[in-house]
Amino acid sequence: MEEDFAELRCPLSFLKDKNGEMIEDCISLALGGNEAYARCMLEFRGMGTIYLTPMWASSWKRLENKAKGRDFNNKYLKNSLYCTAAKIDTGLVNNSEFNANVKEFACKFDMKITDLKGSVEIAEQSYLAARNAVTGK
């Protein structure tokens, strides 16, 4: 992407982990990087796991409405392969609301809840790097 947009006059900033690798997705970001995400996937090997950030936990019901005729919740989330709801706590949200949303999700889809410690470190570092690139600091 950096090469594709090299002609732009503004700096580009990408979310990167401590090794300088671009973050793969929002779950990797919430867990603290690609390595942390890979460790979690290895830990849950053999168990279908849905990783829940506060955003996903608060909006999963709306996904079915956006699926345009597909019954996403029943077709995918009620699949017996998925048995774990991994709650990623980054410390940014109201825990009581997040806990209630995760509990409702896990009950609806008959999953056990596993707590994961998340991180905002990459988001904070990436924001500061982008801000400094724009301001020249």
Side-chain angles (χ1 to χ4, degrees):
M1 287 186 71
E2 289 169 325
E3 289 176 14
D4 291 341
F5 295 102
E7 72 280 352
L8 292 178
R9 293 183 180 173
C10 64
L12 293 177
S13 297
F14 297 94
L15 297 169
K16 295 183 179 181
D17 65 17
K18 64 184 175 191
N19 299 324
E21 293 181 33
M22 276 195 265
I23 296 301
E24 293 182 18
D25 59 24
C26 63
I27 302 303
S28 183
L29 176 65
L31 287 170
N34 298 334
E35 283 184 24
Y37 195 7
R39 280 193 306 275
C40 285
M41 288 192 293
L42 285 173
E43 181 181 329
F44 296 125
R45 185 178 303 177
M47 295 183 287
T49 303
I50 301 293
Y51 295 88
L52 295 169
T53 61
M55 187 280 302
W56 277 110
S58 67
S59 61
W60 62 269
K61 291 179 196 175
R62 287 180 277 182
L63 187 56
E64 186 170 47
N65 295 335
K66 302 239 184 223
K68 299 200 184 334
R70 290 194 251 152
D71 189 357
F72 184 85
N73 289 344
N74 288 321
K75 186 173 183 180
Y76 297 102
L77 298 177
K78 284 194 174 179
N79 184 321
S80 62
L81 296 175
Y82 290 109
C83 59
T84 304
K87 182 179 84 167
I88 305 171
D89 184 4
T90 61
L92 288 177
V93 298
N94 175 327
N95 263 348
S96 62
E97 182 180 341
F98 185 30
N99 290 338
N101 288 336
V102 171
K103 186 175 180 177
E104 181 181 8
F105 178 91
C107 286
K108 169 130 177 117
F109 300 108
D110 196 28
M111 296 180 187
K112 70 176 184 133
I113 298 171
T114 298
D115 293 311
L116 297 176
K117 177 77 173 124
S119 172
V120 295
E121 183 179 351
I122 292 172
E124 288 174 344
Q125 289 175 354
S126 296
Y127 166 76
L128 291 173
R131 183 190 71 186
N132 292 342
V134 170
T135 62
K137 292 184 181 182

